[in-house]
Amino acid sequence: MPLGPEIGQCCGGRVEVLIRIVDAALTAELIAAAEAEEAHLPHVYIFGGGHVGQALAATVALLPVHGVVIETRAEALEGMPETVERRLTPMPEAEVRNAPAGTAFAILTHDHALDFLIVAEALKRDDAAYVGMIGSKTKRATFRNWFLKSTDGTEAELARLVSPIGGDAVRDKRPPVIAALAAAEIMTALVVHNTAPNADHEVQHKMMAG
């Protein structure tokens, strides 16, 4: 049956179905192809496995990215989606230094001081696609003072920080809503970074804050 208006479709087209027996050789070929595709996915590092971290991990698990949740508390990693990598470490800020170029960093731990350490490390990575921190405008202002005075940070580096994450157009503090808004923000940043790798990061930030 042809696809089109005759069966109530607006768009036409044809479908070809190919049936193959999956033997050992084809299995190896399919696994290799899947691994190659996985290796080229952009990375999203989620620091913190609290309510918002759990919701963001569940959202990221549905996207074409390699999600990584990093925590200092083993119990906070329980219940994470199977497709999201989990890392337990006493020094989460060290994970920033070893992240691949083009990684998006979402920082939302249970500790403001720990958030600040991680964000400071992430802002030093000029190849990061996104650096976002959960919190309020007051928290951002506090971080700004600390970052400029205690870490030799610069205003140019600070301008790349997205905080609060998810923007302020939708005033809804429920974790799934924050996660959805943050995920959209992160995907926008990844697309901008990957399609224009030499673009100025401050311009990228302004596009997201739009």
Side-chain angles (χ1 to χ4, degrees), residues 19 91 136 152 179 194:
I19 299 176
M91 296 182 63
S136 62
D152 295 323
N194 291 332

Side-chain angles (χ1 to χ4, degrees), residues 5 16 19 29 34-35 46 53 64-65 72-73 78 82 89 96 106 108 110 112 125 127 156 159 162 170 196 200:
E16 180 179 344
I19 299 176
E29 179 184 333
E35 291 176 344
I46 302 169
V65 300
T72 59
R73 307 165 298 170
E78 297 176 0
E82 293 183 0
T89 174
V96 176
L108 28 90
H110 63 290
H112 284 194
R125 292 285 304 261
D127 59 355
V162 179
V170 179
D200 183 76

